[in-house]
Amino acid sequence: MGLKPSQSSTTPRSAGFIIVFLLLMAVLFALFHNEFRPGHTLFSNDGPLGTLMSQSHRLPDGFSGGWQDLNSIGFREGGAWPNTTYLLLWVLGPVGYSKLYAPIALFILGLGAWFFFRQLRLAPVACILGALAATLNSGFFSAACWGVAMHPIAIGMNFFALGLLVDTSSPRRWLRVALAGLAVGMGVAEGADIGAIFSLYVAAFIMWQAWTTASGKALTSRLGTGLGRVALVAVFAVFLAAQSMVVLVGTQVKGVAGTQQNTRTKEEKWDWATQWSLPKRETLGLVIPGVFGYRMDTPDGGEYWGAAGRDPSWYRYYANGEQGPKPAGPLRFTGGGNYAGVLVVLVALWAALQAWRKKESAFAPTTQRWLKFWVWAFVLSLLLALGRFAPFYKLPYLLVPFFSTIRNPAKFVHLVNWALVVLFAYGSHGLWRRYMEPATAGSDIARSWWDRLKEFDRRWTLGCLAALGASVLGWLVYAKSQDHMIAYLQQVGFDGATAEAIARFSVGQVGWFILFLAVAVGLITLILSGGLRGPRALAGAVLLCLFVVVDLGRANEPWIKVWDYHQKYATNPILDRLREKPYEHRVALLPFRPPTGLDLINELYRIEWAQHQFLYYNIQSLDVVQMSRMGEDLLAWEMALQPTNTEDMPRLLLKRWELSNTRYLLGPAGYLEVLNQQLDPAQRRFRIAERFQIVPKPGIVSPTSLEEVTAEPATNGTFALFEFTGALPRAKLYAHWQVETNDQATLHELAGASFDPQTTVLVAAGAPPLPSTAATTQNAGAVQFTSYAPKDIVFKADATAPCVLLLNDRFDPNWNVTVDGQPQKLLRCNYLMRGVYLAPGAHRVEFKFQPPMNTFYVSLAAVIVGLLLCGILPFIPGPSEPVDDSAVPLPKPQTITRQPAAVPSVKASGRRNRQPAGKQG
């Protein structure tokens, strides 16, 4: 794909790099400046400060594997591996990382885009515009602000990979291919399934490149070259992503419920896998920011009201005329936008149309073929992003292995925006070369601007004006239909005042779109007419950059939410009580729906405490904050203890809390008698540990959100922290155990009314036979914590008889156990808890989480190799001979001799002598 550089593209690379470096830094600082205030940080849904501060996520310990002890009964996490994200977390620390991660990720994305466009030898202006469009694209930007900034980093790495693959003629181009593979691998290590999807597009890029640029070679030779490059990229990608791939398979595929690759399972998981699909009407979000709102908590009518994230059961509910009980799943849930920018979409469309022009195209034939590749990438990605709302996603879902494990067809919107950004950069280059470049300075000033336009440019301008007129008409109709919209919003759960505010906001966003569309159409028309050619080209470039920054910056502002984290994570006496030796008990929310007025505790618990304060203070909860994929063993355990009728509910609720060491529960204080009389009438093991009220935090007069309220002890408080004294201790010695090798039988017995977990433990295998003298009432001794860390737990046990030490944490084969320093067999107890056999006497027992580290060192070696190649690459010669030009400039106009009497003839002569565009160069 060697492209002959234009005069303007021969600017030293260092100068272009410095410009884009400083420009991206300035723009990102302007957008994120509020979070740099002391005590403030950026909101993050998927990686809040509480999560970063939790002991289970601390580095460098996380590099040896991850174990989440704060949710459910514990489960294996990915831990940390060699990539950009974890390096930043390690170096910056939790607070610095929470401030800088999103802007750094977007900065990497922008540099990656600039590098790719620079390797394509696009004009410097086009490279800068493309970098800005990528950095500020709302799909990428909102992902970074939502807490998944690894997605922009993954996309940036794939931009770097494409840039390295552009060169096919330098003597050591295969080193660039190897480095491209490492970049793709880093994309997988950052973006997981998103990185894997992007890697497929990189492979398609390589094959298209081999087919379109190796002219004169046989088809088999071209295919062989392409396949060889793909293979080398794949090998080096796996080299770097080895650790992340092993971990992701181990935590997201292997042993996970619903990942079986058979038709029945795939059909059953269809609703789960496609819940986050892109509704067809919400494709408007690509060109109209905020028309469906922004975040779920955006004020002043900006709350998201679309259907992304809607549980499919709601569609069936509405289709059946709203008969029966309302579904429990969410009506909507989103944390990302899709806006690409008005100018970006217009210029991308202009470039796409140029790709199919057989005559007078602004681009040379080779570049036209490349434009077609990105157009097809855009179309394919958009069709797949529709997910359940179109038939296209179903085919790969059923046929492609493990495609069904991707939970979110809307992830393909990232590829839609990727293609749009590339087309925009190409289009900017074409506009610059043909209509603005100083090398073509001079214009036929004797003719009107309309007469100077070529036929295609006139049609384009008329089409843009027609689109602008249609948009104005559509806006008027939309504004007139607000009553219908308000009725719809009330139907999907908004109250009247909120519905009215949302309707006004949405209509206003369309109005802003029309304003920016009008300015964008005016700018492009001015460029086509030659009004920004020659001496005015630099001013035109500044205007284009300014427009992109203002347009996308305005659209991205609602995604930036800054927290005062000292106030956000302020403690209270209830949290203080729960965080005292939190490893000795778990806490949960009562599973009852309180009456209106008392449900505030449920909202505060689920949204604030469980997702933030519990993590920040390492409080262990039986409830799950976030678990995208549940293990088969945990699902079976939960289902065995899930009541199916009112008769079984008291027994199974108690059994679940008892077996899981759930000692504390939260709910309305008036539920004490309900708990003792209806759930546990025989033993009445519930008591109130502390009553409290929900009050504003210090310094808050009138709270407007849950993060502004806290708990304050009160003698007659409305809410209570209940203590369930029947919960098993976290660790217990059993002199009586029962070996049960049938898992289904174990689950049945655990849930049965006759099984007493206080006196007997069920062991899957590995324990010696129970001594004949053992009795169920025999005291086996005492055990207590010596030290606790999520992956390293030490006990002091004094066993008075042969016994099994039960640790009420989830079993995983990567846990190892030693007794007095000697390795012992890890037992699986009570179906999915950990245990170990102990002989009589005093013992030091240590449970340690130690997953294999082989692939970690492989990935680390790959990172080192990549850094070495980056150091070598600048000294490798570039392409030997350019083979094509990327854009075809308009012919230079005739020199005009200013003789008043001869003006008409000169004008006519100028028209007769003008050559058709595209027939020069």
Side-chain angles (χ1 to χ4, degrees):
M1 249 176 76
L3 302 178
K4 181 181 177 182
S6 63
Q7 178 181 341
S8 60
S9 65
T10 56
T11 305
R13 294 189 181 190
S14 58
F17 175 78
I18 291 172
I19 291 172
V20 75
F21 184 96
L22 295 176
L23 183 58
L24 292 179
M25 289 278 287
V27 170
L28 290 171
F29 179 80
L31 289 171
F32 289 99
H33 69 279
N34 280 330
E35 69 160 335
F36 296 111
R37 291 179 293 164
H40 290 75
T41 189
L42 186 68
F43 160 90
S44 176
N45 182 77
D46 286 16
L49 183 59
T51 297
L52 304 178
M53 293 291 290
S54 65
Q55 194 175 2
S56 60
H57 291 109
R58 289 297 180 93
L59 295 179
D61 187 55
F63 287 115
S64 60
W67 184 262
Q68 174 58 273
D69 63 333
L70 302 182
N71 284 180
S72 185
I73 53 175
F75 55 91
R76 183 186 177 190
E77 284 191 322
W81 48 78
N83 69 3
T84 308
T85 291
Y86 291 118
L87 175 63
L88 290 172
L89 178 56
W90 190 16
V91 171
L92 298 174
V95 174
Y97 175 87
S98 65
K99 287 176 175 286
L100 296 173
Y101 183 40
I104 289 176
L106 293 167
F107 182 76
I108 292 171
L109 170 61
L111 284 184
W114 176 85
F115 176 76
F116 175 45
F117 302 139
R118 190 68 180 82
Q119 294 300 304
L120 288 175
R121 298 173 178 249
L122 302 187
V125 170
C127 296
I128 293 172
L129 283 168
L132 288 172
T135 303
L136 300 178
N137 179 279
S138 287
F140 309 150
F141 194 96
S142 61
C145 293
W146 192 247
V148 284
M150 62 284 294
H151 293 177
I153 293 177
I155 298 166
M157 290 299 163
N158 281 277
F159 267 126
F160 278 115
L162 294 183
L164 291 163
L165 292 167
V166 165
D167 174 19
T168 60
S169 59
S170 65
R172 299 180 183 176
R173 56 191 177 278
W174 291 102
L175 286 179
R176 297 172 65 94
V177 176
L179 190 54
L182 294 174
V184 170
M186 184 61 76
V188 174
E190 290 285 350
D193 52 359
I194 286 181
I197 294 169
F198 270 83
S199 70
L200 297 178
Y201 281 63
V202 172
F205 177 94
I206 295 171
M207 296 306 297
W208 188 277
Q209 181 186 51
W211 179 52
T212 58
T213 61
S215 57
K217 293 185 179 180
L219 178 61
T220 54
S221 175
R222 285 181 281 171
L223 290 177
T225 300
L227 290 172
R229 288 164 68 88
V230 169
L232 188 59
V233 166
V235 167
F236 276 85
V238 171
F239 182 26
L240 192 141
Q243 170 71 357
S244 59
M245 292 170 64
V246 168
V247 169
L248 290 169
V249 170
T251 59
Q252 305 296 312
V253 178
K254 186 178 179 181
V256 174
T259 58
Q260 293 82 3
Q261 296 302 291
N262 56 70
T263 303
R264 178 180 176 181
T265 302
K266 290 181 178 182
E267 290 288 357
E268 290 174 349
K269 299 296 289 185
W270 172 254
D271 281 354
W272 173 86
T274 60
Q275 183 174 338
W276 272 268
S277 298
L278 177 67
K280 288 192 283 289
R281 68 180 182 179
E282 294 189 37
T283 55
L284 283 173
L286 290 166
V287 291
I288 309 178
V291 64
F292 294 98
Y294 287 94
R295 292 160 44 98
M296 300 286 288
D297 57 355
T298 305
D300 304 324
E303 184 174 351
Y304 176 71
W305 59 274
R310 176 172 296 176
D311 191 292
S313 59
W314 280 100
Y315 294 105
R316 294 187 284 271
Y317 173 75
Y318 289 126
N320 293 330
E322 302 184 35
Q323 299 297 315
K326 291 184 177 180
L331 261 170
R332 67 196 67 84
F333 191 92
T334 185
N338 300 322
Y339 184 57
V342 172
L343 185 66
V344 172
V345 173
L346 272 180
V347 174
L349 177 60
W350 181 85
L353 293 176
Q354 295 291 339
W356 269 270
R357 292 185 67 186
K358 295 183 178 179
K359 296 181 179 181
E360 299 185 341
S361 173
F363 298 98
T366 300
T367 306
Q368 284 184 290
R369 290 192 288 271
W370 274 108
L371 289 170
K372 290 177 182 178
F373 171 83
W374 291 106
V375 171
W376 288 121
F378 168 85
V379 172
L380 175 64
S381 302
L382 184 58
L383 295 178
L384 291 174
L386 298 175
R388 66 182 299 107
F389 301 111
F392 312 102
Y393 192 80
K394 190 84 171 185
L395 186 63
Y397 177 85
L398 292 175
L399 299 181
V400 178
F402 295 102
F403 197 91
S404 59
T405 62
I406 299 173
R407 190 194 182 190
N408 194 340
K411 290 175 180 177
F412 284 90
V413 177
H414 279 332
L415 290 138
V416 171
N417 282 311
W418 199 37
L420 282 175
V421 167
V422 175
L423 289 170
F424 169 68
Y426 268 115
S428 300
H429 175 69
L431 290 172
W432 176 265
R433 288 292 315 280
R434 172 163 280 204
Y435 301 99
M436 299 174 67
E437 191 171 25
T440 59
S443 61
D444 194 349
I445 60 174
R447 304 169 64 190
S448 69
W449 71 272
W450 183 255
D451 288 337
R452 289 198 299 270
L453 293 179
K454 305 295 293 183
E455 181 181 0
F456 174 86
D457 296 339
R458 292 180 185 179
R459 291 179 179 178
W460 167 265
T461 303
L462 291 174
C464 288
L465 293 175
L468 181 59
S471 298
V472 173
L473 180 61
W475 181 38
L476 296 175
V477 173
Y478 189 43
K480 288 290 185 181
S481 62
Q482 283 196 61
D483 291 341
H484 297 288
M485 181 178 176
I486 291 171
Y488 166 77
L489 292 171
Q490 290 176 321
Q491 181 187 16
V492 295
F494 293 101
D495 61 62
T498 304
E500 291 178 8
I502 289 174
R504 287 194 302 270
F505 183 89
S506 182
V507 171
Q509 292 301 297
V510 178
W512 278 106
F513 156 72
I514 290 173
L515 174 62
F516 278 91
L517 176 62
V519 175
V521 169
L523 264 176
I524 295 177
T525 303
L526 187 61
I527 291 171
L528 297 178
S529 68
L532 295 176
R533 179 179 292 171
R536 293 183 292 273
L538 181 59
V542 172
L543 284 175
L544 290 171
C545 291
L546 186 63
F547 184 93
V548 170
V549 171
V550 172
D551 180 25
L552 285 164
R554 180 193 71 86
N556 286 330
E557 188 177 2
W559 298 113
I560 305 172
K561 182 177 180 179
V562 176
W563 280 337
D564 179 342
Y565 64 84
H566 292 304
Q567 181 190 81
K568 175 78 174 178
Y569 292 100
T571 187
N572 61 58
I574 304 301
L575 295 176
D576 288 341
R577 181 164 187 159
L578 293 174
R579 67 176 176 146
E580 183 179 348
K581 296 183 178 180
Y583 46 83
E584 292 187 349
H585 53 254
R586 291 190 174 93
V587 61
L589 185 69
L590 285 177
F592 314 126
R593 179 174 294 178
T596 303
L598 297 179
D599 55 355
L600 181 58
I601 182 62
N602 288 34
E603 295 181 29
L604 180 63
Y605 176 90
R606 290 196 178 101
I607 297 175
E608 287 297 311
W609 288 5
Q611 296 191 48
H612 297 284
Q613 278 83 358
F614 281 11
L615 304 175
Y616 192 87
Y617 296 111
N618 294 296
I619 297 171
Q620 300 187 18
S621 170
L622 180 63
D623 299 309
V624 176
V625 173
Q626 191 170 43
M627 184 189 295
S628 60
R629 293 166 175 83
M630 182 176 287
E632 293 175 334
D633 58 345
L634 181 58
L635 178 62
W637 185 81
E638 291 282 7
M639 294 303 295
L641 300 174
Q642 183 69 35
T644 56
N645 54 63
T646 55
E647 182 180 351
D648 291 338
M649 185 181 72
R651 172 173 53 83
L652 293 178
L653 279 179
L654 289 177
K655 191 65 72 71
R656 183 170 181 264
W657 293 333
E658 185 178 18
L659 292 170
S660 62
N661 179 229
T662 303
R663 190 171 188 85
Y664 292 107
L665 299 132
L666 287 155
Y671 278 11
L672 178 62
E673 287 306 307
V674 175
L675 293 170
N676 278 325
Q677 290 182 8
Q678 296 187 19
L679 295 188
D680 196 25
Q683 302 183 64
R684 301 179 65 85
R685 290 171 291 178
F686 292 94
R687 71 178 188 87
I688 290 180
E690 187 114 43
R691 295 182 72 138
F692 62 92
Q693 291 282 58
I694 296 176
V695 298
K697 287 182 177 179
I700 303 295
V701 179
S702 299
T704 59
S705 63
L706 291 171
E707 62 191 52
E708 295 179 342
V709 299
T710 188
E712 179 181 86
T715 304
N716 297 313
T718 305
F719 307 103
L721 176 66
F722 300 98
E723 184 178 5
F724 174 48
T725 59
L728 288 175
R730 183 60 60 88
K732 180 178 173 65
L733 300 182
Y734 286 84
H736 186 271
W737 62 91
Q738 179 180 328
V739 177
E740 180 59 78
T741 58
N742 186 298
D743 284 342
Q744 290 303 313
T746 300
L747 288 172
H748 180 75
E749 187 162 0
L750 279 176
S754 61
F755 177 71
D756 183 6
Q758 300 287 345
T759 59
T760 303
V761 61
L762 304 180
V763 181
L770 183 69
S772 58
T773 58
T776 58
T777 57
Q778 182 177 355
N779 182 8
V783 58
Q784 60 183 2
F785 283 92
T786 299
S787 65
Y788 180 89
K791 299 190 301 179
D792 192 354
I793 307 171
V794 181
F795 295 101
K796 177 184 178 183
D798 292 310
T800 58
C803 62
V804 169
L805 188 161
L806 168 68
L807 174 59
N808 281 304
D809 278 343
R810 187 175 171 190
F811 176 91
D812 186 283
N814 291 298
W815 280 94
N816 296 315
V817 60
T818 60
V819 177
D820 300 326
Q822 299 301 313
Q824 299 294 325
K825 180 176 178 58
L826 181 71
L827 304 179
R828 182 161 61 89
C829 302
N830 287 349
Y831 182 72
L832 79 173
M833 302 298 185
R834 300 197 294 274
V836 64
Y837 172 79
L838 298 179
H843 302 287
R844 181 184 184 274
V845 182
E846 181 175 16
F847 291 87
K848 200 163 187 177
F849 185 67
Q850 295 176 308
M853 293 289 291
N854 297 338
T855 52
F856 175 87
Y857 297 117
V858 171
S859 294
L860 183 61
V863 171
I864 295 172
V865 170
L867 293 175
L868 291 175
L869 287 179
C870 287
I872 295 172
L873 195 61
F875 302 99
I876 298 176
S880 56
E881 188 67 32
V883 298
D884 197 3
D885 199 353
S886 57
V888 180
L890 284 171
K892 296 182 180 179
Q894 297 285 324
T895 303
I896 301 173
T897 305
R898 296 190 174 277
Q899 297 178 356
V903 167
S905 61
V906 171
K907 184 176 182 180
S909 173
R911 285 181 179 170
R912 285 193 300 270
N913 293 335
R914 186 177 296 276
Q915 298 295 322
K919 292 193 176 182
Q920 296 188 11

